[in-house]
Amino acid sequence: MADASLSLPANPSYPEIQETSIRTIFQTLLDSGTNTESILETMGQILLEQKPRSTSWNAELNQRRFELIDKEIQETISSEESIELAGLTNLMRNHVDSEENLPMKGAKELHRKLLELDNKDNPL
């Protein structure tokens, strides 16, 4: 941050300071090995958390994600909406990958069948 501030004019405006700060943070994240998609997804998720609606995956968020995907396809999506879409995509992936979505009934049935097969192959 100190190095980046050297490139600012003597009396920088608030927007100049803000942009320099954000660019420095972004570059630091890239230098740490974080890819651009992950940065945008995290920023989008943080922005979603600031809004007064649920951040648990639900039908409303899914619908909004579809609307934003349509805008992206039509090339009418704004920068803010792109970040929102990245955040929604991250929330959706976390929801899909969560333990609550594991097909436990099917997994338990498969486990039972495998135990039965093992017992047939290795009788006591």
Side-chain angles (χ1 to χ4, degrees):
M1 188 67 149
D3 290 341
S5 67
L6 296 175
S7 67
L8 289 170
N11 293 314
S13 66
Y14 180 73
E16 289 172 322
I17 294 169
Q18 188 176 33
E19 182 179 340
T20 300
S21 299
I22 292 169
R23 286 182 181 280
T24 303
I25 292 166
F26 187 77
Q27 190 59 52
T28 300
L29 291 169
L30 290 174
D31 291 346
S32 75
T34 306
N35 64 40
T36 304
E37 183 179 352
S38 294
I39 294 169
L40 289 176
E41 286 179 355
T42 304
M43 287 174 54
Q45 184 170 343
I46 291 167
L47 287 172
L48 287 172
E49 290 168 357
Q50 303 301 310
K51 293 185 178 185
R53 63 177 169 181
S54 172
T55 56
S56 297
W57 193 250
N58 57 47
E60 177 187 340
L61 294 176
N62 197 43
Q63 181 60 40
R64 176 65 177 154
R65 183 172 173 271
F66 285 143
E67 290 168 7
L68 293 173
I69 290 170
D70 285 343
K71 284 185 157 197
E72 184 177 51
I73 291 168
Q74 297 166 10
E75 299 180 0
T76 60
I77 194 166
S78 69
S79 298
E80 184 177 338
E81 288 171 329
S82 290
I83 292 172
E84 181 184 2
L85 175 58
L88 287 170
T89 299
N90 191 42
L91 279 176
M92 184 262 316
R93 286 180 183 153
N94 289 339
H95 173 73
V96 169
D97 293 343
S98 70
E99 288 185 14
E100 68 187 53
N101 289 310
L102 292 175
M104 292 308 293
K105 183 177 178 183
K108 287 178 181 179
E109 180 64 22
L110 176 60
H111 182 254
R112 185 187 62 74
K113 287 180 181 181
L114 291 172
L115 287 175
E116 286 176 5
L117 286 174
D118 188 45
N119 287 336
K120 288 179 185 175
D121 292 339
N122 298 316
L124 296 175

